[in-house]
Amino acid sequence: MPSQLLTIEVDRLAAGRARLRLTGELDFDTAPELVAAAAELRRDGYQELLLDFAGVTLCDSSGLSALVVIHRSGAGSVRLDSLNPPVRQLLDRTGLTELLAAPPSSATGDTRQAG
């Protein structure tokens, strides 16, 4: 069964910050799309990236690898937001929660900042 399309909606915020809103599956087939989108933003001077996972229905090891690649590819921060419980658990179990500056699992409400 083919992967669900990953949609990446980019919001360019002030002061070198950008939000990437992800919808669909972040897996072997779609992870390169996310890496490419982040690399393009970094080339354009956006160093702080907020990845909004509200619409992500699946994240596999290729998705995790893409997140590490994005983290290592720039001088700025990468922050994950609106993680669903299965993705949060995956990040916690792999030790990537702290690396990727994900908001604490006890956080409630919308943690996105207006830009």
Side-chain angles (χ1 to χ4, degrees), residues 66-88:
L67 296 176
V68 172
V69 167
I70 293 166
H71 170 73
R72 290 182 176 171
S73 69
S77 66
V78 176
R79 193 179 90 186
L80 306 181
D81 193 20
S82 302
L83 297 169
N84 64 41
V87 173
R88 164 134 341 252

Side-chain angles (χ1 to χ4, degrees), residues 3-75:
S3 292
Q4 178 185 353
L5 177 69
L6 178 70
T7 303
I8 304 169
E9 183 180 323
V10 176
D11 297 323
R12 287 167 172 80
L13 308 173
R17 293 175 35 239
R19 178 183 300 127
L20 293 88
R21 297 173 195 239
L22 311 177
T23 305
E25 296 182 357
L26 181 56
D27 62 11
F28 178 80
D29 294 322
T30 62
E33 297 172 38
L34 178 58
V35 171
E40 181 179 338
L41 286 167
R42 291 253 165 95
R43 281 191 301 272
D44 291 345
Y46 294 90
Q47 291 302 311
E48 294 183 38
L49 304 179
L50 171 63
L51 306 180
D52 184 339
F53 268 65
V56 173
T57 57
L58 175 132
C59 181
D60 71 3
S61 61
S62 296
L64 293 178
S65 178
L67 296 176
V68 172
V69 167
I70 293 166
H71 170 73
R72 290 182 176 171
S73 69

